[in-house]
Amino acid sequence: MTTRVRFAPSPTGYLHIGSARTALFNYLFARHAGLTDPDSKFLLRIEDTDLARSTEESTRSILDGLEWLGFAPDEEIVFQSDNAEKHRETARKLLTEGKAYRDFTPKEAPSDANIKDAIKERAREQGADKNMRDNPFRDLPRDESDARAAAGEPFAIRLRVAESGKTSFEDQVYGLQERDYSEIEDLVLLRSDGHPLYNLAVVCDDIEMAITHVIRGQDHLTNTHKQILIYEALGVTPPVFAHLPLIMAPNKGKLSKRKHGEVVSMTTYRDAGFLAEAFRNYLALLGWSAGEEQEIYSLDELVAKFSLSGIHRSNAIFNFSPDDPRKWTDDKAQWMNAEYIRTMPLDELLPHVKAELKAAKLWREEYEEDDRAWYERTVDLIRARFFTLKDFSSQGRAYFSEDYDFDSAAIEKNLSKFPDLRVWLPELAERFEAEFGDKPFNETNIELVVRAFTEEKGTKLGVIMNGARTLLTGVAVGPSMLSVFETLGLERSIIRLRSQLAWSQ
RNA sequence: GUCCGGUUCGUCUAGGGGUUAGGACACCGCCCUUUCACGGCGGCAACACGGGUUCAAAUCCCGUACCGGAUACCA
């Protein structure tokens, strides 16, 4: 059977890291299957049946995140709310067949504040003795039920779960899963206002979309048993299930928007200058392993190596320290991004740098034309110590603009301590002007001139070089000064060496 | 409460009867060096606990602890 999987987020927030990984695993699974069956599909369904919480903005944000990661669905996006009528029909069908019943119990007013806690509390009170089949309307005679409904009395439709038995399925990650019917209540299929509920909607849509494998978070494990009951009532063979371990916060608690803010949002990483391929690579290793020591994988390699059997059963922690700006997000993710930036083929990096420079208004069309060679060489030179795309427009700004700031720590470290430099550096500019009238301004020649100059002044090479570094780049960090001089060129080097701007700060 | 799941360095993980328990990130040190990185070399650091099975247990079984998930006319 042709593999068809879906990623089914509910649009109640942005695309967070856990959902992104679920999307990735679904995507990889579909593409892997696609290696032998080109008809395999990765689909997207927006589960927007909770009208109160779903927002268009959220849908937009999720789509943005998926687009950034490169997970385009193979068929049109399904909006679950569009299928509500079909869901209702299915519920009515089950009712007609006697597999579901009307529950006339008045709807409870939703307890406000903390719903989760309220539910937990109620469950605790009910204890282990709770009889899941004690609904007074479960065995209401058909004609009486029909009469009350006809009279306009509101009712919910609940699935009639058998008195005894158990559901079971072979989870591709967690193994055989069984649940006794006594643990499962007669779940509501249709709300008294006619609104289809999650479990019904999911099953109907998965059937309609011909989903063969459901790969989702482990928090759905209990839903799966309920859904299997619905599949059985419908006489449809359930798909294969694979539940994923969860991604937790550093304290092993839930990773949430409210508590952890932007670190969990995919768009944060896009906006922070992460490369999608790097983040994907990082995500793939969170809860999955190919069982080898390789860590850097191209998408093709991930597709080739991905399998459900490599997924772990234990939750993973997304490691970050909100108090430490250097570790605002997982350090392995940061390392991975830096690794990609400095080792990926330059041609692949260039468009990203272009986009970043454009956004920072530092891009010049010449970089695409006459100065292309210079641009490529410069990017290649400075990328070695960058962590994100943002660094090209911040730390790397002086390479692309005459308007850059001087880092106070750099001034302190490389200029203030050596007051002579205020005279020496402009002198070095004079020397450059004199020496490089006809001689090429390249590393070899520059080194000769600077070394001679240094000896004349009776100082150390580092003092001159780092003083110059501060003036020429505004920062204390960067490539070898010989390359910086050469890259910036004679003219710009001279102007910057003469500049007194940094000194007056 | 009940049901389900999990537990290997700080973090991500390999290993699934015999390993000096491996790698990566982070951290620390050394080398390289005009800075900072990169790179190279090295270091620190883990099988939750208790029983069993076995010649042999991180690995299999049972229990305990802890963590997580679920428990709704949310998804």
Side-chain angles (χ1 to χ4, degrees):
Chain A
M1 196 183 352
T2 290
T3 299
R4 291 170 65 87
V5 299
R6 84 297 193 282
F7 171 55
S10 58
T12 55
Y14 42 52
L15 180 67
H16 63 83
I17 185 162
S19 311
R21 192 199 51 180
T22 300
L24 170 66
F25 284 9
N26 272 283
Y27 179 85
L28 293 178
F29 185 77
R31 289 291 173 271
H32 181 86
L35 261 22
T36 49
D37 176 4
D39 290 334
S40 298
K41 296 282 191 287
F42 166 75
L43 310 176
L44 178 60
R45 183 172 71 225
I46 302 293
E47 312 227 308
D48 56 349
T49 55
D50 186 339
L51 280 346
R53 291 196 297 152
S54 299
T55 67
E56 244 174 73
E57 186 197 357
S58 169
T59 302
R60 187 67 255 160
S61 173
I62 288 170
L63 261 22
D64 280 354
L66 289 173
E67 191 196 351
W68 178 63
L69 286 167
F71 306 148
D74 297 322
E75 289 177 6
E76 225 171 295
I77 300 173
V78 173
F79 287 86
Q80 190 157 64
S81 58
D82 291 346
N83 299 334
E85 193 43 49
K86 287 179 191 160
H87 303 155
R88 277 188 280 272
E89 259 169 48
T90 305
R92 283 192 289 262
K93 172 172 166 265
L94 291 174
L95 186 62
T96 312
E97 293 171 354
K99 289 170 179 164
Y101 62 91
R102 295 191 186 91
D103 179 2
F104 295 96
T105 311
K107 184 175 188 276
E108 248 179 81
S111 64
D112 27 271
N114 214 327
I115 303 176
K116 279 272 186 202
D117 286 349
I119 288 163
K120 201 173 171 181
E121 194 44 46
R122 192 204 300 171
R124 203 195 317 280
E125 279 166 19
Q126 288 172 169
D129 324 317
K130 164 72 174 163
N131 175 5
M132 296 293 194
R133 306 294 153 250
D134 63 357
N135 189 296
F137 299 98
R138 183 181 159 91
D139 298 313
L140 192 68
R142 173 65 65 90
D143 49 349
E144 192 181 330
S145 173
D146 288 349
R148 289 175 72 160
E153 192 175 339
F155 58 86
I157 293 181
R158 306 188 91 111
L159 187 70
R160 192 192 304 278
V161 178
E163 294 280 355
S164 67
K166 65 184 177 186
T167 53
S168 85
F169 66 95
E170 187 67 30
D171 190 274
Q172 298 302 292
V173 173
Y174 289 96
L176 180 66
Q177 298 292 309
E178 295 184 311
R179 179 95 72 261
D180 199 277
Y181 287 169
S182 65
E183 303 284 345
I184 307 173
E185 69 170 346
D186 287 346
L187 56 141
V188 174
L189 266 16
L190 211 60
R191 246 157 54 172
S192 48
D193 61 4
H195 200 80
L197 252 25
Y198 174 73
N199 283 306
L200 204 223
V202 166
V203 171
C204 289
D205 289 352
D206 281 342
I207 291 171
E208 170 131 345
M209 292 167 78
I211 298 303
T212 56
H213 300 256
V214 171
I215 303 169
R216 64 188 8 165
Q218 184 239 74
D219 50 336
H220 284 286
L221 223 33
T222 47
N223 279 327
T224 301
H225 288 94
K226 295 177 182 176
Q227 289 169 21
I228 282 176
L229 252 14
I230 299 176
Y231 277 105
E232 284 171 358
L234 258 22
V236 176
T237 306
V240 173
F241 293 98
H243 290 88
L244 273 21
L246 272 18
I247 298 176
M248 316 302 289
N251 64 356
K252 291 184 189 280
K254 214 177 192 133
L255 207 46
S256 75
K257 174 179 184 169
R258 209 173 59 76
K259 279 181 73 178
H260 305 102
E262 299 296 307
V263 256
V264 299
S265 170
M266 245 353 79
T267 48
T268 297
Y269 294 90
R270 179 196 61 192
D271 299 343
F274 275 67
L275 290 159
E277 45 269 71
F279 207 79
R280 250 194 256 129
N281 193 158
Y282 165 74
L283 239 27
L285 265 21
L286 214 50
W288 173 82
S289 156
E292 59 189 8
E293 288 181 351
Q294 186 176 341
E295 306 254 13
I296 302 291
Y297 292 100
S298 67
L299 224 213
D300 286 345
E301 286 177 301
L302 287 176
V303 166
K305 295 189 175 180
F306 187 78
S307 89
L308 298 179
S309 62
I311 297 173
H312 310 164
R313 278 157 293 273
S314 53
N315 296 341
I317 289 174
F318 185 59
N319 199 22
F320 60 95
S321 327
D323 324 317
D324 184 349
R326 280 177 54 238
K327 302 200 173 179
W328 66 275
T329 190
D330 193 286
D331 44 35
K332 192 148 188 173
Q334 297 199 56
W335 165 80
M336 188 82 73
N337 200 54
E339 182 71 13
Y340 268 76
I341 284 184
R342 61 183 173 245
T343 64
M344 74 196 290
L346 187 63
D347 285 347
E348 288 171 30
L349 178 65
L350 256 13
H352 289 111
V353 176
K354 176 178 177 179
E356 174 56 30
L357 293 183
K358 272 193 165 175
K361 299 201 176 8
L362 295 174
W363 175 256
R364 290 170 49 232
E365 284 309 322
E366 289 84 346
Y367 296 156
E368 206 77 275
E369 308 287 334
D370 300 350
D371 292 341
R372 190 182 179 92
W374 176 86
Y375 168 66
E376 293 187 0
R377 201 155 32 84
T378 302
V379 169
D380 201 23
L381 175 72
I382 61 183
R383 68 167 166 164
R385 56 214 83 203
F386 286 173
F387 278 73
T388 72
L389 259 13
K390 284 278 165 234
D391 292 333
F392 286 95
S393 62
S394 53
Q395 284 186 62
R397 190 181 173 91
Y399 294 90
F400 305 106
S401 168
E402 298 313 309
D403 175 25
Y404 54 95
D405 294 329
F406 295 93
D407 175 51
S408 56
I411 292 176
E412 174 67 25
K413 181 184 172 197
N414 296 330
L415 295 179
S416 306
K417 282 188 195 163
F418 311 99
D420 288 337
L421 287 174
R422 190 158 191 170
V423 178
W424 290 348
L425 264 9
E427 261 183 66
L428 180 60
E430 302 292 320
R431 187 66 55 88
F432 276 4
E433 211 162 40
E435 292 280 351
F436 293 106
D438 45 4
K439 231 186 320 181
F441 191 61
N442 60 33
E443 293 194 24
T444 316
N445 292 335
I446 295 166
E447 179 163 17
L448 255 33
V449 172
V450 177
R451 281 202 187 274
F453 183 84
T454 303
E455 268 174 47
E456 278 174 39
K457 300 301 175 193
T459 186
K460 284 189 283 191
L461 187 63
V463 173
I464 299 296
M465 288 299 198
N466 292 316
R469 180 189 302 286
T470 306
L471 255 30
L472 299 223
T473 68
V475 292
V477 179
S480 148
M481 268 314 286
L482 295 174
S483 353
V484 174
F485 278 130
E486 188 184 315
T487 297
L488 252 21
L490 180 60
E491 197 182 332
R492 289 206 281 175
S493 294
I494 288 175
I495 293 172
R496 294 183 185 191
L497 283 173
R498 280 179 178 152
S499 169
Q500 293 292 307
L501 254 160
W503 292 99
S504 47
Q505 283 190 17

